[in-house]
Amino acid sequence: MRVARELAALVGLLLLVGALVRSGVGRVVLPVLALALVAALAWLLTRTPAHPRTTVGPRTRLLDDPAGDTDATCVECDAPATVRRRFVREWVVLGVPVLLLADGTNHLCDDHLG
């Protein structure tokens, strides 16, 4: 199903570009779009990547920090938590996160880190 949606989006984009090329508006719009695309690419390449540079699409990261709360308990076994794990679901382009899709935090003990 994902391939069908991507193919439909590509066909729609090609139809839009084709319509712009055939119209007089395309002489202004297409160069502006090309410059915007180059500027966005340059901006992405100056950012520190969170993933390998070849990564594109939705990805999940896990970020572990020591548990600062003394009251925090493990979500699995109610033992005292030693690690605060943050999960981040994000849309990535060239290894750089550009859109946060979902995130959350869990407290875990040493036994349930694996």
Side-chain angles (χ1 to χ4, degrees):
M1 188 68 176
R2 179 179 168 199
V3 174
R5 276 188 286 145
E6 289 176 355
L7 185 60
L10 179 63
V11 168
L13 182 65
L14 288 176
L15 287 174
L16 179 67
V17 170
L20 282 174
V21 167
R22 296 182 74 93
S23 71
V25 177
R27 291 189 180 137
V28 175
V29 173
L30 289 177
V32 169
L33 286 177
L35 287 175
L37 183 63
V38 168
L41 181 63
W43 179 80
L44 282 174
L45 291 176
T46 62
R47 301 291 176 239
T48 304
H51 301 276
R53 280 287 185 192
T54 56
T55 306
V56 176
R59 294 292 185 265
T60 301
R61 275 192 300 163
L62 296 175
L63 307 167
D64 290 342
D65 292 322
D69 297 336
T70 57
D71 302 353
T73 59
C74 178
V75 295
E76 298 287 333
C77 66
D78 291 331
T82 57
V83 173
R84 182 180 66 124
R85 177 170 282 173
R86 181 171 183 242
F87 63 91
V88 180
R89 182 96 173 134
E90 52 203 1
W91 189 265
V92 178
V93 176
L94 295 177
V96 178
V98 292
L99 179 65
L100 179 65
L101 301 174
D103 69 334
T105 303
N106 290 322
H107 290 85
L108 300 169
C109 65
D110 289 332
D111 295 336
H112 291 107
L113 277 179

